[in-house]
Amino acid sequence: MYVASPLEAWGNFYVIVGSSAGALTGLQFVVMTLTAERVPVKGRGEGIAAFGTPNVVHFCAALLVGSILSIPWNSLRPAGVAVAACGGLGVVYSMIVLKRALRQRTYQPVFEDWLWHTFLPAIAYAMLLVGGLAIGRNSAGPLFVIGPAALLLVFVGIHNAWDTVTFLTLERPILGPAPPEK
């Protein structure tokens, strides 16, 4: 008798989240490339490392979680370990991003920036860590922690990418004139 894995019920969810994260990662590269051509980059490396690069990491983490949970595992334990590892590394990365945000001098963050660029990603990664560790004991509950965490990373990435692009676009006159068009 065939017994369906609890992950099968989540298959479409992870296909949607993972595909969206993958597509948005590519779009982030395109937008940053186009923006870099129009806005002087001098002195903005710290700001991009604190507020731009993490967006790609969040999208890739959501893609990774979607991929991990789409693998036809024989048991949930290895999937849980992989998701927990992703979450643990994400928590560490969130601390690195916080350090970069505090160190950079390109932009003075406000509450909304701290919320979306540091707090919410750390919460999502912590949810992945906890959900991944718990998935071996109880399959249903932890999946309702891991799924929203992956989706939160996509939403955080979308919000922060939009925030970064609008900042770079609106701040262009302050940073310097746009290069002449050819």
Side-chain angles (χ1 to χ4, degrees):
M1 171 185 233
Y2 173 74
V3 177
S5 165
L7 294 177
E8 285 183 49
W10 286 85
N12 288 338
F13 175 83
Y14 286 111
V15 166
I16 292 167
V17 170
S19 299
S20 298
L24 290 166
T25 301
L27 184 58
Q28 178 77 14
F29 282 109
V30 170
V31 168
M32 293 304 286
T33 301
L34 293 174
T35 303
E37 291 177 2
R38 299 195 41 83
V39 181
V41 181
K42 185 179 178 185
R44 290 187 322 173
E46 288 180 341
I48 295 296
F51 301 112
T53 303
N55 302 333
V56 174
V57 173
H58 303 327
F59 289 143
C60 289
L63 174 61
L64 179 60
V65 169
S67 298
I68 289 168
L69 295 179
S70 295
I71 294 171
W73 300 97
N74 289 330
S75 78
L76 293 178
R77 193 76 177 146
V81 169
V83 170
C86 180
L89 291 171
V91 168
V92 170
Y93 184 68
S94 294
M95 298 303 112
I96 293 169
V97 170
L98 175 62
K99 182 178 163 185
R100 288 176 181 171
L102 290 167
R103 190 177 51 211
Q104 61 83 34
R105 298 289 172 240
T106 306
Y107 173 71
Q108 184 62 44
V110 296
F111 172 76
E112 180 183 2
D113 298 315
W114 294 116
L115 176 68
W116 283 92
H117 290 273
T118 60
F119 183 70
L120 290 177
I123 292 296
Y125 289 120
M127 290 170 66
L128 291 176
L129 175 62
V130 170
L133 291 174
I135 202 168
R137 287 180 231 111
N138 173 9
S139 60
L143 291 173
F144 283 96
V145 173
I146 295 168
L151 189 57
L152 178 58
L153 288 171
V154 172
F155 284 138
V156 163
I158 291 168
H159 175 276
N160 294 350
W162 178 254
D163 220 26
T164 301
V165 169
T166 55
F167 172 76
L168 293 173
T169 302
L170 296 176
E171 294 298 315
R172 180 176 26 148
I174 295 170
L175 296 172
E181 293 187 0
K182 295 178 183 181

